């Protein structure tokens, strides 16, 4: 399984960014695609994910109402629209694919349950 991530960058507080993650067609049918993030000195945390098959989603409490995840089934791609960004959203965002339940119950010890893409930097600063 291969993942290709894009997006990210520098934005002012209150601004928006969009991330995308394309997975290879060898993805397991019932896998979700989504993102984790890790800020310097902090533990990696689950952000959001979406089932490619039926569109079920996961959002962390910290991003609910501000981030929107969507998918293009034909393109095996997920998108994360990040609005009303806050400085606390600054982190390296990692695209990943795995079972949706693993996002809900994520701990770093479960990293090996995912396939990972490269990280992309999101910086929210005035």
């Amino acid at each position: 399984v291969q993942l290709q991530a894009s997006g990210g960058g520098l934005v002012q507080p209150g601004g928006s960014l969009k991330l995308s993650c394309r997975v290879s067609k060898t993805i397991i049918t019932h896998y979700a695609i989504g993102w984790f993030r890790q800020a310097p000195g902090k533990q990696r945390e689950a952000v959001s994910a979406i089932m490619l098959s039926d569109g079920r989603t996961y959002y962390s409490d910290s991003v609910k109402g501000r981030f929107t995840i969507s998918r293009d089934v034909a393109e095996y791609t997920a998108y994360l629209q990040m609005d009303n960004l806050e400085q606390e959203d600054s982190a390296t965002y990692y695209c990943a694919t795995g079972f949706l339940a693993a996002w809900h119950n994520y701990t770093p010890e479960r990293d090996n349950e995912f396939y990972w893409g490269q990280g992309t930097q999101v910086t929210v600063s005035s």
Side-chain angles (χ1 to χ4, degrees), residues 83-106:
D83 297 318
N84 195 20
L85 283 160
E86 304 168 351
Q87 287 188 331
E88 292 73 21
D89 295 316
S90 296
T92 300
Y93 283 69
Y94 295 92
C95 170
T97 184
F99 289 112
L100 187 63
W103 261 272
H104 286 272
N105 301 295
Y106 175 73

Side-chain angles (χ1 to χ4, degrees), residues 57-118:
T57 59
Y58 163 83
Y59 291 99
S60 68
D61 288 342
S62 61
V63 306
K64 279 180 183 176
R66 300 187 298 119
F67 291 12
T68 304
I69 195 166
S70 61
R71 77 207 197 282
D72 183 330
V73 176
E75 294 296 324
Y76 285 76
T77 300
Y79 302 96
L80 186 66
Q81 177 66 42
M82 304 184 293
D83 297 318
N84 195 20
L85 283 160
E86 304 168 351
Q87 287 188 331
E88 292 73 21
D89 295 316
S90 296
T92 300
Y93 283 69
Y94 295 92
C95 170
T97 184
F99 289 112
L100 187 63
W103 261 272
H104 286 272
N105 301 295
Y106 175 73
T107 64
E109 289 74 24
R110 303 188 71 168
D111 278 354
N112 61 356
E113 297 182 27
F114 297 91
Y115 293 94
W116 297 92
Q118 76 273 24

